[in-house]
Amino acid sequence: MNMNTFKQEVLEGLQQKPKKLSSKYFYDAKGDKLFQQIMQLDEYYLPKSELAIIKKHKNTIAQRLKKHGKSIEILELGAGDGSKTVQLLEGFVNQKIHLKYLPFDISSNVLKINKQAVLKKYPEINITPIPGNYFKTYQNSAKEYQQRLVLFLGSNLGNYTLDESANFIHFLKQGMDKNDHLIIAFDLVKHPRKIIKAYDDSKGVTKQFNLNILERINNELGADFELSNFDHYPYYNPVTGVTYSYIISLEAQTVTFKTGEKFRFEKFEPIHTEISKKFFKQEILNLAHKSELTIENWFYDDEETYCFVLFKK
Ligand code: AVI
Protein backbone atom coordinates (compact mmCIF):
# COMPACT_ATOMS: atom_id res chain seq x y z
CA MET A 1 0.00 0.00 0.00
CA ASN A 2 1.16 3.51 -0.80
CA MET A 3 1.85 5.20 2.57
CA ASN A 4 1.57 8.71 1.09
CA THR A 5 -1.95 8.05 -0.23
CA PHE A 6 -2.97 6.53 3.11
CA LYS A 7 -1.60 9.51 5.05
CA GLN A 8 -3.08 12.05 2.67
CA GLU A 9 -6.55 10.45 2.77
CA VAL A 10 -6.48 10.18 6.57
CA LEU A 11 -5.45 13.83 7.02
CA GLU A 12 -8.02 15.03 4.47
CA GLY A 13 -10.74 12.90 6.05
CA LEU A 14 -10.06 14.29 9.53
CA GLN A 15 -10.34 17.84 8.20
CA GLN A 16 -13.83 17.21 6.80
CA LYS A 17 -17.07 17.97 8.58
CA PRO A 18 -18.26 15.37 9.55
CA LYS A 19 -14.83 13.74 9.96
CA LYS A 20 -14.32 10.68 7.81
CA LEU A 21 -12.01 7.65 7.63
CA SER A 22 -12.50 5.16 4.82
CA SER A 23 -13.37 1.56 5.67
CA LYS A 24 -11.05 0.44 2.89
CA TYR A 25 -8.29 1.01 5.47
CA PHE A 26 -9.84 -1.44 7.96
CA TYR A 27 -7.96 -4.34 6.42
CA ASP A 28 -4.42 -4.62 7.80
CA ALA A 29 -3.32 -8.02 9.23
CA LYS A 30 -5.33 -7.43 12.45
CA GLY A 31 -8.31 -6.06 10.48
CA ASP A 32 -8.29 -9.16 8.22
CA LYS A 33 -8.45 -11.38 11.33
CA LEU A 34 -11.25 -9.34 12.89
CA PHE A 35 -13.24 -9.51 9.66
CA GLN A 36 -12.80 -13.30 9.63
CA GLN A 37 -14.19 -13.34 13.19
CA ILE A 38 -17.14 -11.17 12.13
CA MET A 39 -17.94 -13.67 9.40
CA GLN A 40 -18.25 -16.40 12.05
CA LEU A 41 -20.73 -14.42 14.18
CA ASP A 42 -24.34 -15.64 14.28
CA GLU A 43 -25.56 -12.03 14.05
CA TYR A 44 -23.55 -11.37 10.87
CA TYR A 45 -25.93 -13.33 8.64
CA LEU A 46 -24.41 -12.39 5.25
CA PRO A 47 -21.92 -15.29 4.74
CA LYS A 48 -24.59 -17.82 5.80
CA SER A 49 -27.05 -16.44 3.23
CA GLU A 50 -24.37 -16.42 0.56
CA LEU A 51 -23.39 -20.01 1.26
CA ALA A 52 -27.04 -21.09 1.17
CA ILE A 53 -27.37 -19.59 -2.33
CA ILE A 54 -24.19 -21.26 -3.54
CA LYS A 55 -25.28 -24.65 -2.23
CA LYS A 56 -28.75 -24.30 -3.72
CA HIS A 57 -27.82 -22.91 -7.13
CA LYS A 58 -24.24 -23.89 -7.98
CA ASN A 59 -25.29 -26.60 -10.44
CA THR A 60 -27.91 -24.42 -12.17
CA ILE A 61 -25.38 -21.61 -12.55
CA ALA A 62 -22.79 -23.94 -14.09
CA GLN A 63 -25.37 -25.59 -16.38
CA ARG A 64 -26.48 -22.20 -17.69
CA LEU A 65 -22.95 -21.08 -18.43
CA LYS A 66 -22.00 -24.40 -20.05
CA LYS A 67 -24.21 -23.39 -22.99
CA HIS A 68 -21.74 -20.58 -23.72
CA GLY A 69 -18.64 -22.77 -23.92
CA LYS A 70 -17.00 -25.72 -22.19
CA SER A 71 -14.04 -23.79 -20.90
CA ILE A 72 -14.31 -20.86 -18.54
CA GLU A 73 -12.06 -18.46 -16.66
CA ILE A 74 -13.46 -17.26 -13.37
CA LEU A 75 -12.13 -13.92 -12.15
CA GLU A 76 -13.07 -13.10 -8.58
CA LEU A 77 -12.52 -9.53 -7.36
CA GLY A 78 -11.93 -9.24 -3.61
CA ALA A 79 -11.86 -13.04 -3.41
CA GLY A 80 -10.92 -13.36 0.26
CA ASP A 81 -10.17 -16.79 1.71
CA GLY A 82 -12.10 -18.72 -0.97
CA SER A 83 -14.06 -20.74 1.58
CA LYS A 84 -17.35 -20.09 -0.24
CA THR A 85 -16.11 -19.86 -3.81
CA VAL A 86 -14.65 -23.35 -3.58
CA GLN A 87 -18.23 -24.58 -3.23
CA LEU A 88 -19.34 -22.57 -6.25
CA LEU A 89 -16.49 -24.10 -8.28
CA GLU A 90 -17.93 -27.52 -7.42
CA GLY A 91 -20.84 -26.78 -9.78
CA PHE A 92 -18.41 -26.27 -12.68
CA VAL A 93 -16.40 -29.37 -11.77
CA ASN A 94 -19.66 -31.39 -11.64
CA GLN A 95 -20.53 -30.14 -15.13
CA LYS A 96 -17.07 -31.11 -16.38
CA ILE A 97 -16.34 -27.57 -17.49
CA HIS A 98 -12.65 -26.89 -18.02
CA LEU A 99 -11.85 -24.03 -15.68
CA LYS A 100 -9.24 -21.57 -14.60
CA TYR A 101 -9.77 -19.66 -11.34
CA LEU A 102 -8.15 -16.25 -10.85
CA PRO A 103 -8.78 -14.85 -7.35
CA PHE A 104 -7.77 -11.17 -6.97
CA ASP A 105 -7.33 -9.60 -3.55
CA ILE A 106 -5.35 -6.80 -1.94
CA SER A 107 -4.13 -9.23 0.75
CA SER A 108 -1.54 -11.82 -0.30
CA ASN A 109 -2.02 -13.54 3.09
CA VAL A 110 -5.65 -14.21 2.39
CA LEU A 111 -4.84 -15.41 -1.15
CA LYS A 112 -2.49 -18.04 0.25
CA ILE A 113 -5.37 -19.39 2.34
CA ASN A 114 -7.61 -19.21 -0.74
CA LYS A 115 -5.21 -21.25 -2.88
CA GLN A 116 -4.79 -23.89 -0.16
CA ALA A 117 -8.57 -24.20 0.27
CA VAL A 118 -9.16 -24.63 -3.48
CA LEU A 119 -6.29 -27.06 -4.09
CA LYS A 120 -7.23 -29.13 -1.05
CA LYS A 121 -10.62 -29.81 -2.60
CA TYR A 122 -9.62 -29.76 -6.30
CA PRO A 123 -5.89 -30.45 -6.75
CA GLU A 124 -6.34 -30.42 -10.53
CA ILE A 125 -7.77 -26.88 -10.77
CA ASN A 126 -5.73 -24.30 -12.62
CA ILE A 127 -5.54 -21.46 -10.07
CA THR A 128 -3.58 -18.21 -10.33
CA PRO A 129 -4.07 -15.89 -7.34
CA ILE A 130 -3.09 -12.28 -8.07
CA PRO A 131 -2.42 -9.99 -5.08
CA GLY A 132 -2.76 -6.21 -5.37
CA ASN A 133 -5.29 -3.58 -6.34
CA TYR A 134 -8.03 -5.53 -8.10
CA PHE A 135 -9.01 -2.60 -10.35
CA LYS A 136 -5.56 -2.66 -11.93
CA THR A 137 -5.37 -6.47 -12.04
CA TYR A 138 -8.74 -6.64 -13.77
CA GLN A 139 -7.86 -3.92 -16.26
CA ASN A 140 -4.66 -5.74 -17.22
CA SER A 141 -6.08 -9.27 -17.47
CA ALA A 142 -6.27 -10.61 -21.03
CA LYS A 143 -9.01 -13.14 -21.77
CA GLU A 144 -7.61 -16.60 -22.45
CA TYR A 145 -10.60 -18.91 -22.27
CA GLN A 146 -13.80 -19.23 -24.37
CA GLN A 147 -15.83 -17.45 -21.76
CA ARG A 148 -15.26 -15.38 -18.68
CA LEU A 149 -17.26 -15.23 -15.48
CA VAL A 150 -16.58 -12.25 -13.23
CA LEU A 151 -17.52 -12.66 -9.56
CA PHE A 152 -18.07 -9.86 -7.07
CA LEU A 153 -19.47 -11.57 -3.98
CA GLY A 154 -19.65 -10.99 -0.22
CA SER A 155 -22.00 -8.01 -0.66
CA ASN A 156 -18.83 -5.99 -1.28
CA LEU A 157 -20.77 -3.70 -3.61
CA GLY A 158 -22.68 -2.55 -0.51
CA ASN A 159 -19.65 -0.57 0.66
CA TYR A 160 -20.04 1.76 -2.33
CA THR A 161 -22.61 4.51 -2.83
CA LEU A 162 -25.17 3.83 -5.59
CA ASP A 163 -23.32 6.14 -7.99
CA GLU A 164 -20.01 4.44 -7.25
CA SER A 165 -21.71 1.05 -7.76
CA ALA A 166 -22.99 2.07 -11.18
CA ASN A 167 -19.50 3.26 -12.18
CA PHE A 168 -17.94 0.07 -10.86
CA ILE A 169 -20.35 -2.18 -12.77
CA HIS A 170 -19.66 -0.13 -15.87
CA PHE A 171 -15.95 -0.68 -15.30
CA LEU A 172 -16.49 -4.46 -14.95
CA LYS A 173 -18.41 -4.45 -18.22
CA GLN A 174 -15.32 -3.15 -20.05
CA GLY A 175 -13.55 -6.45 -19.35
CA MET A 176 -16.42 -8.57 -20.73
CA ASP A 177 -17.57 -9.48 -24.21
CA LYS A 178 -20.82 -10.99 -25.49
CA ASN A 179 -20.16 -14.51 -24.24
CA ASP A 180 -19.24 -13.41 -20.72
CA HIS A 181 -21.16 -13.10 -17.47
CA LEU A 182 -20.97 -11.25 -14.19
CA ILE A 183 -22.37 -12.38 -10.84
CA ILE A 184 -22.81 -9.80 -8.09
CA ALA A 185 -24.02 -10.68 -4.59
CA PHE A 186 -26.53 -8.21 -3.14
CA ASP A 187 -27.72 -8.12 0.45
CA LEU A 188 -31.41 -7.20 0.21
CA VAL A 189 -33.44 -4.93 2.50
CA LYS A 190 -34.94 -6.84 5.41
CA HIS A 191 -36.16 -6.17 8.96
CA PRO A 192 -34.09 -3.24 10.26
CA ARG A 193 -33.49 -5.02 13.60
CA LYS A 194 -31.83 -7.95 11.88
CA ILE A 195 -29.59 -5.58 9.93
CA ILE A 196 -28.53 -3.43 12.86
CA LYS A 197 -27.62 -6.50 14.94
CA ALA A 198 -25.24 -7.60 12.19
CA TYR A 199 -23.32 -4.31 12.55
CA ASP A 200 -23.60 -3.97 16.35
CA ASP A 201 -22.76 -7.48 17.49
CA SER A 202 -23.03 -8.47 21.13
CA LYS A 203 -19.36 -9.57 21.38
CA GLY A 204 -18.12 -6.19 20.21
CA VAL A 205 -16.03 -7.59 17.33
CA THR A 206 -17.40 -5.00 14.90
CA LYS A 207 -16.47 -2.29 17.40
CA GLN A 208 -12.89 -3.59 17.48
CA PHE A 209 -12.92 -3.80 13.67
CA ASN A 210 -13.85 -0.11 13.41
CA LEU A 211 -11.50 1.08 16.19
CA ASN A 212 -8.65 -0.87 14.61
CA ILE A 213 -8.39 1.87 11.99
CA LEU A 214 -7.34 4.28 14.78
CA GLU A 215 -4.74 1.76 16.01
CA ARG A 216 -3.50 1.40 12.46
CA ILE A 217 -3.15 5.19 12.13
CA ASN A 218 -1.23 5.24 15.44
CA ASN A 219 1.12 2.45 14.29
CA GLU A 220 1.67 3.52 10.70
CA LEU A 221 1.34 7.30 10.84
CA GLY A 222 2.50 7.99 14.40
CA ALA A 223 -0.74 9.44 15.76
CA ASP A 224 -1.77 9.28 19.44
CA PHE A 225 -5.43 8.19 19.34
CA GLU A 226 -6.35 6.89 22.82
CA LEU A 227 -8.65 4.02 21.80
CA SER A 228 -10.55 3.88 25.10
CA ASN A 229 -11.72 7.46 24.44
CA PHE A 230 -13.67 6.30 21.38
CA ASP A 231 -16.72 4.11 20.85
CA HIS A 232 -18.41 2.60 17.80
CA TYR A 233 -21.97 3.48 16.75
CA PRO A 234 -23.79 2.09 13.70
CA TYR A 235 -27.32 2.95 12.66
CA TYR A 236 -29.55 1.65 9.88
CA ASN A 237 -31.82 3.92 7.86
CA PRO A 238 -34.69 1.89 6.34
CA VAL A 239 -35.41 4.68 3.84
CA THR A 240 -31.98 4.62 2.19
CA GLY A 241 -31.32 0.93 3.01
CA VAL A 242 -27.92 1.94 4.38
CA THR A 243 -26.15 1.07 7.63
CA TYR A 244 -23.94 4.04 8.52
CA SER A 245 -21.02 3.25 10.84
CA TYR A 246 -19.35 5.83 13.04
CA ILE A 247 -16.59 6.10 15.59
CA ILE A 248 -17.64 8.47 18.41
CA SER A 249 -15.24 10.60 20.42
CA LEU A 250 -16.28 10.08 24.05
CA GLU A 251 -14.45 13.18 25.23
CA ALA A 252 -13.33 16.57 24.04
CA GLN A 253 -9.76 15.74 23.00
CA THR A 254 -6.93 16.55 20.62
CA VAL A 255 -5.13 13.93 18.57
CA THR A 256 -1.60 14.73 17.38
CA PHE A 257 0.42 13.14 14.57
CA LYS A 258 4.20 12.80 14.87
CA THR A 259 4.49 15.10 11.85
CA GLY A 260 2.75 17.85 13.83
CA GLU A 261 -0.85 17.80 12.53
CA LYS A 262 -3.45 18.22 15.30
CA PHE A 263 -7.14 17.37 15.21
CA ARG A 264 -9.60 18.63 17.79
CA PHE A 265 -12.62 16.46 18.68
CA GLU A 266 -15.68 17.75 20.46
CA LYS A 267 -17.30 15.46 23.02
CA PHE A 268 -19.50 12.98 21.06
CA GLU A 269 -18.22 14.13 17.68
CA PRO A 270 -18.55 11.32 15.09
CA ILE A 271 -16.06 10.03 12.50
CA HIS A 272 -17.90 8.39 9.63
CA THR A 273 -16.22 5.11 8.64
CA GLU A 274 -18.44 2.93 6.45
CA ILE A 275 -21.67 2.48 4.57
CA SER A 276 -23.17 -1.00 4.13
CA LYS A 277 -25.99 -0.77 1.60
CA LYS A 278 -28.94 -3.15 1.53
CA PHE A 279 -30.71 -3.17 -1.82
CA PHE A 280 -34.29 -2.77 -2.97
CA LYS A 281 -34.86 -4.91 -6.08
CA GLN A 282 -35.76 -1.81 -8.07
CA GLU A 283 -32.32 -0.36 -7.31
CA ILE A 284 -30.67 -3.47 -8.78
CA LEU A 285 -32.82 -3.13 -11.92
CA ASN A 286 -31.77 0.53 -12.14
CA LEU A 287 -28.10 -0.39 -11.81
CA ALA A 288 -28.44 -2.92 -14.66
CA HIS A 289 -30.21 -0.32 -16.79
CA LYS A 290 -27.60 2.36 -16.08
CA SER A 291 -24.70 0.09 -16.94
CA GLU A 292 -26.51 -1.38 -19.99
CA LEU A 293 -26.26 -4.96 -18.77
CA THR A 294 -29.04 -7.53 -19.07
CA ILE A 295 -30.15 -9.49 -16.03
CA GLU A 296 -30.26 -13.18 -16.99
CA ASN A 297 -31.31 -14.54 -13.63
CA TRP A 298 -31.79 -13.92 -9.91
CA PHE A 299 -30.73 -16.60 -7.42
CA TYR A 300 -32.09 -16.33 -3.88
CA ASP A 301 -31.69 -18.05 -0.52
CA ASP A 302 -34.87 -19.70 0.86
CA GLU A 303 -35.97 -16.57 2.74
CA GLU A 304 -35.15 -14.25 -0.21
CA THR A 305 -32.99 -12.04 2.00
CA TYR A 306 -29.94 -12.08 -0.25
CA CYS A 307 -29.38 -12.72 -3.94
CA PHE A 308 -26.88 -13.42 -6.69
CA VAL A 309 -27.68 -11.58 -9.89
CA LEU A 310 -26.36 -13.03 -13.15
CA PHE A 311 -25.64 -10.23 -15.63
CA LYS A 312 -24.82 -10.54 -19.31
CA LYS A 313 -23.39 -7.93 -21.63
C1 AVI B 1 -16.92 -6.22 3.42
N1 AVI B 1 -18.26 -5.67 3.69
C2 AVI B 1 -19.23 -6.21 2.74
C3 AVI B 1 -18.69 -5.78 5.08
C4 AVI B 1 -20.11 -5.17 5.25
O1 AVI B 1 -21.01 -5.92 5.64
O2 AVI B 1 -20.30 -3.99 4.96
C5 AVI B 1 -17.72 -5.12 6.04
C6 AVI B 1 -18.23 -5.08 7.45
N2 AVI B 1 -18.37 -4.02 8.19
C7 AVI B 1 -18.84 -4.34 9.38
N3 AVI B 1 -19.04 -5.65 9.39
C8 AVI B 1 -18.66 -6.13 8.21
Side-chain angles (χ1 to χ4, degrees):
M1 201 211 27
N2 184 329
M3 194 53 77
N4 288 334
T5 320
F6 177 43
K7 183 169 184 189
Q8 198 181 330
E9 282 194 30
V10 166
L11 295 180
E12 277 172 17
L14 292 176
Q15 279 162 33
Q16 285 177 32
K17 195 92 189 126
K19 292 184 170 64
K20 210 175 145 49
L21 291 170
S22 169
S23 61
K24 71 176 180 231
Y25 294 120
F26 281 176
Y27 303 88
D28 61 352
K30 187 172 171 193
D32 281 349
K33 282 208 184 103
L34 288 166
F35 186 54
Q36 303 252 337
Q37 283 177 36
I38 288 175
M39 299 226 284
Q40 306 294 327
L41 296 169
D42 283 343
E43 292 142 310
Y44 193 69
Y45 58 84
L46 288 80
K48 271 74 78 185
S49 311
E50 185 153 298
L51 192 56
I53 294 180
I54 291 176
K55 286 191 171 155
K56 191 169 168 186
H57 300 290
K58 62 183 177 219
N59 289 320
T60 320
I61 293 172
Q63 273 159 14
R64 266 186 168 264
L65 298 194
K66 196 178 180 179
K67 291 184 203 140
H68 299 272
K70 284 190 183 135
S71 74
I72 189 163
E73 59 189 33
I74 301 180
L75 281 64
E76 183 171 16
L77 283 74
D81 67 9
S83 53
K84 282 170 271 123
T85 316
V86 76
Q87 310 236 16
L88 184 64
L89 297 182
E90 194 176 318
F92 293 89
V93 174
N94 290 346
Q95 291 299 317
K96 307 210 167 9
I97 298 175
H98 181 57
L99 77 97
K100 179 171 182 177
Y101 174 48
L102 298 119
F104 304 161
D105 204 286
I106 190 79
S107 162
S108 44
N109 276 336
V110 105
L111 282 178
K112 274 185 203 140
I113 303 173
N114 182 310
K115 188 170 179 178
Q116 278 166 6
V118 171
L119 289 179
K120 191 171 168 209
K121 190 149 189 210
Y122 299 113
E124 69 284 4
I125 278 185
N126 183 349
I127 171 170
T128 309
I130 310 184
N133 174 321
Y134 58 62
F135 286 89
K136 287 197 186 131
T137 313
Y138 185 71
Q139 246 165 357
N140 298 334
S141 64
K143 190 173 161 184
E144 288 175 18
Y145 279 44
Q146 262 177 336
Q147 62 162 319
R148 171 175 269 194
L149 170 64
V150 182
L151 299 177
F152 196 55
L153 306 182
S155 184
N156 286 330
L157 197 74
N159 297 128
Y160 293 141
T161 63
L162 271 180
D163 281 346
E164 287 167 347
S165 295
N167 291 338
F168 182 66
I169 295 174
H170 192 263
F171 161 78
L172 294 180
K173 192 180 132 190
Q174 313 299 312
M176 294 163 59
D177 61 38
K178 269 193 175 165
N179 223 16
D180 300 338
H181 290 82
L182 162 68
I183 295 180
I184 300 181
F186 293 91
D187 190 17
L188 301 173
V189 288
K190 54 184 68 59
H191 199 297
R193 279 191 226 289
K194 177 159 172 143
I195 294 174
I196 197 61
K197 276 188 189 159
Y199 293 90
D200 200 12
D201 67 274
S202 48
K203 292 198 178 111
V205 188
T206 313
K207 171 178 170 174
Q208 283 184 58
F209 184 53
N210 273 258
L211 293 190
N212 180 54
I213 197 170
L214 303 184
E215 195 172 327
R216 182 171 184 191
I217 295 171
N218 284 350
N219 294 337
E220 295 181 29
L221 304 179
D224 63 356
F225 281 101
E226 179 54 65
L227 266 60
S228 59
N229 287 348
F230 292 88
D231 199 358
H232 160 243
Y233 175 73
Y235 88 95
Y236 174 68
N237 180 337
V239 177
T240 57
V242 174
T243 305
Y244 301 87
S245 296
Y246 294 94
I247 291 171
I248 306 287
S249 172
L250 295 176
E251 291 181 7
Q253 54 189 319
T254 300
V255 170
T256 308
F257 282 64
K258 69 173 181 204
T259 35
E261 297 85 355
K262 286 185 186 299
F263 295 95
R264 174 96 196 124
F265 289 80
E266 276 191 45
K267 192 168 185 176
F268 300 129
E269 184 174 344
I271 309 173
H272 175 58
T273 53
E274 188 177 50
I275 62 162
S276 300
K277 167 91 179 116
K278 311 300 159 195
F279 289 85
F280 291 94
K281 285 180 200 163
Q282 188 58 51
E283 289 172 324
I284 300 175
L285 291 166
N286 294 348
L287 281 175
H289 182 72
K290 258 194 170 173
S291 44
E292 293 169 357
L293 286 172
T294 312
I295 296 184
E296 272 218 346
N297 217 334
W298 304 67
F299 299 100
Y300 296 98
D301 57 336
D302 285 343
E303 296 80 31
E304 300 205 357
T305 60
Y306 197 96
C307 70
F308 279 14
V309 178
L310 179 66
F311 297 93
K312 194 172 171 357
K313 195 162 171 175

